[in-house]
Amino acid sequence: YNHFPRHLKWQNNNVTFRIVNYTPDLKKSDVNRAIRTALNVWSDVTPLTFKKLHEGNADIMISFGAKEHGDYNPFDGPNGLLAHAYPPGPGIGGDTHFDEDEHWSKDSSAYNLFIVAAHELGHALGMSHSTDPGALMYPVYSYATGFPLSEDDIEGIQALYGPNPNHRKVKPKPDAPNKCDPMLSFDAVTELRGETIIFKDRFYWRLHPQMPEPEQTLIKSTWPSIPNKVDAAYENSEKDVVIIFSGIRMWALNGYDLVDGYPKYIHKLGLPKKVRKIDAAVHIRDTGKTLLFTDEDYWSYDEATSTMDSGYPRTIEEDFPGMDDEVDAAAYHYGHLYFFHDHIQYEYSYTSRKVIRILRTNSILNC
Amino acid sequence: FALPLPSEDNNRLLAEKYLRRFYDLPAALQGKSSGTFETKIKAMQRFFNLKVSGNLDDNTLEVMKLARCGVPDIGE
């Protein structure tokens, strides 16, 4: 986390705020609720209290404006800059401005006002931007549900104001997964146009042959329409498409764009309704088959005919001897299958039908 | 009519605007010196845990285009 220079903060823990105007995108009551809930996030973990004024000057003046809106710090139209706020202090200090050219929502359909307000009010209380992609104070917008403060955010604000005297217990948002955690497991792995994409929690790592360090990013920052939790993924490079599985739905990505008509139900592939989740998926380019792993079984899907092969499901143990009986994620490179289960990675020779190497899962992340 | 700038120049303009707003790149003239520009690019790449090359590569440009907060990432 970071503070502003000189660790600017409110000297009085009882801070006032006023909502000067409202966006037409939402009902007034929704805006009031979003702002109040956003303030509660910070008062939950500090001694701060927030009193609403309906006229006159408050410490934190909240308003919606477009382009040049009176502070010589113009907004830029839709997307790009969403909002900004000023560090604690007199006059414009603490003031919080939202770009009216954005579309504001109370869900994930557009920019979620509560999430942006919680971030901006963090600035109005003295927090600057965090480099932790899992922190609320990270500068890039990403939609998430649940309590928005991570451990990093809580440590930062309590360094300024101390903890909540009533010791309210809050469950911080989980931090970004650590790639060198020896017990690291993966949710899903896929190729994407020559890169390897590894999904874990709300994040993904991107491995590029020329990039020494894997780059960690929030899933929602790149693909706002797919869920924060990916179960399985595979690339069909012949069709230049990546299929992402989450629960009983699947999404198709062409590069970074969502293919029209998705999401679809996984049962469209020919899976029985009792299958509620796919644990891992991998496309075997040499055979044109896609293997779908669910619990101890797996299925073979023929991409050319878009049908499930007969004689399935078969058990993983039976056809992939030496492997675990379940799979978290799977990838295929040059005749070798890579199975990931918990913190172990199995390199499996598809031709000689046996495990040829066992590694730690995160060895693929240069750990 | 002003000819549409080749994408190279567009990217450079986008980057300069981004770095001026969020990384304190000095205004137009001085900022043209590649040394300052490269230094600011590295600061931004370091902040976002990208490969610190000083070059305006695709990953860096991609992050610059993401919706974000208007408060600078460094300095006053």
Side-chain angles (χ1 to χ4, degrees):
Chain A
Y1 65 84
N2 290 292
H3 295 147
F4 287 107
R6 303 187 304 283
H7 301 283
L8 295 169
K9 60 175 279 195
W10 297 105
Q11 298 314 315
N12 177 337
N13 284 342
N14 306 314
V15 177
T16 58
F17 73 99
R18 180 182 156 200
I19 303 175
V20 178
N21 66 357
Y22 287 80
T23 170
D25 301 347
L26 290 165
K27 290 198 304 263
K28 269 183 80 168
S29 57
D30 288 334
V31 175
N32 290 334
R33 186 175 308 111
I35 299 296
R36 174 51 79 180
T37 316
L39 288 166
N40 288 349
V41 159
W42 295 106
S43 56
D44 279 352
V45 295
T46 62
L48 293 168
T49 67
F50 299 104
K51 178 175 170 33
K52 183 171 186 177
L53 303 186
H54 294 273
E55 56 192 6
N57 226 2
D59 296 321
I60 298 177
M61 300 287 270
I62 294 165
S63 60
F64 292 80
K67 298 295 179 37
E68 177 43 58
H69 51 279
D71 62 2
Y72 305 107
N73 195 355
F75 286 129
D76 57 352
N79 302 312
L81 306 182
L82 304 181
H84 57 220
Y86 294 86
I92 199 169
D95 291 2
T96 301
H97 302 157
F98 296 91
D99 184 353
E100 189 41 77
D101 280 335
E102 309 303 344
H103 189 59
W104 297 104
S105 73
K106 53 181 184 174
D107 51 28
S108 62
S109 61
Y111 292 116
N112 182 281
L113 182 62
F114 160 66
I115 288 178
V116 176
H119 175 103
E120 296 307 332
L121 291 164
H123 289 313
L125 299 174
M127 296 290 282
S128 184
H129 282 145
S130 170
T131 56
D132 177 346
L136 172 68
M137 294 313 293
Y138 191 63
V140 168
Y141 173 83
S142 87
Y143 178 75
T145 54
F147 188 72
L149 297 190
S150 72
E151 204 59 61
D152 179 77
D153 300 307
I154 294 171
E155 281 169 24
I157 197 72
Q158 290 185 347
L160 286 174
Y161 297 98
N164 182 309
N166 308 319
H167 301 296
R168 277 179 62 101
K169 284 315 281 173
V170 292
K171 189 168 175 291
K173 182 170 62 172
D175 283 345
N178 170 6
K179 70 183 175 74
C180 289
D181 169 359
M183 300 311 283
L184 181 74
S185 63
F186 292 160
D187 291 338
V189 177
T190 180
E191 300 306 303
L192 170 58
R193 295 181 176 172
E195 296 181 339
T196 300
I197 306 289
I198 297 167
F199 292 95
K200 176 68 179 175
D201 301 339
R202 297 178 297 120
F203 299 86
Y204 72 91
W205 283 286
R206 187 166 160 191
L207 287 178
H208 191 284
Q210 275 84 41
M211 265 165 55
E213 271 305 298
E215 182 197 312
Q216 182 179 50
T217 311
L218 283 157
I219 295 173
K220 286 284 184 191
S221 292
T222 308
W223 299 291
S225 53
I226 67 173
N228 264 323
K229 181 79 176 129
V230 169
D231 295 331
Y234 76 91
E235 177 185 44
N236 180 336
S237 47
E238 291 90 46
K239 296 178 183 171
D240 187 23
V241 74
V242 165
I243 305 292
I244 304 274
F245 296 97
S246 182
I248 58 172
R249 292 187 296 168
M250 62 185 180
W251 287 256
L253 300 174
N254 180 250
Y256 288 96
D257 302 320
L258 188 66
V259 172
D260 287 345
Y262 283 85
K264 292 178 177 172
Y265 287 110
I266 59 176
H267 309 106
K268 286 256 185 231
L269 298 172
L271 290 167
K273 286 282 196 284
K274 68 177 167 69
V275 173
R276 309 307 292 170
K277 170 178 181 289
I278 291 176
D279 296 327
V282 59
H283 179 66
I284 312 288
R285 194 182 320 187
D286 305 343
T287 62
K289 305 290 187 184
T290 295
L291 307 184
L292 304 168
F293 297 83
T294 66
D295 297 331
E296 292 89 7
D297 296 331
Y298 80 102
W299 308 74
S300 172
Y301 179 75
D302 187 300
E303 294 284 349
T305 59
S306 299
T307 56
M308 205 57 86
D309 290 329
S310 58
Y312 289 85
R314 298 171 59 87
T315 64
I316 296 170
E317 205 171 11
E318 190 180 353
D319 287 3
F320 299 98
M323 259 284 303
D324 253 330
D325 56 2
E326 291 203 8
V327 182
D328 294 334
Y332 184 74
H333 293 294
Y334 313 116
H336 286 180
L337 266 169
Y338 295 84
F339 289 113
F340 300 89
H341 187 231
D342 291 339
H343 59 284
I344 303 290
Q345 176 187 171
Y346 300 85
E347 185 175 351
Y348 186 87
S349 163
Y350 204 52
T351 45
S352 55
R353 298 279 171 181
K354 63 182 181 188
V355 174
I356 53 176
R357 242 187 344 163
I358 295 181
L359 310 139
R360 268 201 185 284
T361 285
N362 60 9
S363 57
I364 191 176
L365 293 168
N366 306 333
C367 293
Chain B
F1 290 93
L3 288 173
L5 285 168
S7 70
E8 187 81 15
D9 289 6
N10 277 338
N11 290 338
R12 170 84 188 208
L13 286 177
L14 177 145
E16 282 189 6
K17 193 173 168 190
Y18 187 95
L19 294 172
R20 257 202 304 281
R21 182 177 276 274
F22 299 115
Y23 286 83
D24 220 11
L25 176 73
L29 293 183
Q30 309 93 310
K32 282 279 192 248
S33 73
S34 62
T36 318
F37 182 77
E38 185 179 318
T39 306
K40 296 299 184 181
I41 283 268
K42 284 182 175 175
M44 180 259 178
Q45 289 169 332
R46 211 168 286 118
F47 188 97
F48 284 99
N49 198 23
L50 297 167
K51 184 181 163 192
V52 180
S53 63
N55 304 321
L56 193 51
D57 55 45
D58 289 352
N59 291 337
T60 303
L61 269 170
E62 199 177 288
V63 172
M64 288 182 170
K65 293 172 183 169
L66 293 174
R68 58 159 292 159
C69 168
V71 172
D73 293 336
I74 58 167
E76 295 283 341

